[in-house]
Amino acid sequence: MIFFTTYPKEINIFALLYLFLNLLYYVYLRLTRKRKLIKYFNKFYTEGREFIESELTILFEDSFILTQSKNVESKIPYENLVRLSIGTEALYIYISNIQALILPNRIFHSPSDSQAIIHFLIQKNGNLIKPLK
């Protein structure tokens, strides 16, 4: 308000016009950015679906865990493992506090198979805490 009372009337008209154009531009950007973001996320979701649903192979090697999928291969040293957790439906091998390899119980032929993997991982990384059931 102080701006409009301290400057000449000619500047006030231009200031109001400039303010109005800025508001229109802001509304235009809000609408177009929202549409572009929605389009981008829809595209990302539909293209990423193939990768998410692709088969993942996990191999327990002597010095690392090898994970292979259609597009990506990674080696995780046993020293990088943080902890183990046994859930009702899966065995969780945590690589960090927010990232884990999830081994569903359906992939094990018997409970002794999952126990063998747990003992193997504890043997490879002595800092892992043995999980409680």
Side-chain angles (χ1 to χ4, degrees):
M1 196 60 158
I2 294 173
F3 174 78
F4 294 117
T5 59
T6 58
Y7 286 96
K9 289 185 179 184
E10 297 85 29
I11 294 176
N12 289 340
I13 293 171
F14 289 119
L16 288 173
L17 180 64
Y18 181 73
L19 179 65
F20 179 71
L21 291 175
N22 276 331
L23 287 173
L24 285 177
Y25 185 67
Y26 175 77
V27 170
Y28 168 76
L29 285 179
R30 291 282 292 188
L31 293 175
T32 57
R33 283 185 189 165
K34 186 176 181 179
R35 273 192 247 128
K36 285 180 183 179
L37 281 174
I38 290 171
K39 184 187 246 186
Y40 172 77
F41 283 120
N42 286 336
K43 180 181 175 185
F44 179 77
Y45 178 73
T46 56
E47 288 180 359
R49 180 174 287 195
E50 179 183 334
F51 177 74
I52 291 171
E53 294 178 356
S54 67
E55 185 176 309
L56 176 67
T57 305
I58 300 173
L59 300 171
F60 294 93
E61 301 288 337
D62 285 334
S63 57
F64 54 84
I65 299 172
L66 179 66
T67 60
Q68 298 173 324
S69 67
K70 182 179 178 181
N71 302 327
V72 179
E73 177 178 305
S74 65
K75 296 177 181 179
I76 305 163
Y78 292 110
E79 297 82 33
N80 291 3
L81 301 181
V82 176
R83 64 185 157 99
L84 298 173
S85 177
I86 298 176
T88 56
E89 297 184 16
L91 170 66
Y92 302 92
I93 304 169
Y94 286 89
I95 301 165
S96 70
N97 288 334
I98 58 172
Q99 184 180 14
L101 295 173
I102 302 170
L103 306 176
N105 289 338
R106 63 180 154 72
I107 67 168
F108 301 114
H109 297 294
S110 67
S112 62
D113 289 346
S114 66
Q115 288 299 320
I117 289 179
I118 291 169
H119 292 302
F120 176 78
L121 292 172
I122 291 173
Q123 179 185 9
K124 291 293 183 178
N125 183 344
N127 295 331
L128 290 176
I129 300 170
K130 187 172 182 179
L132 301 173
K133 283 192 173 185

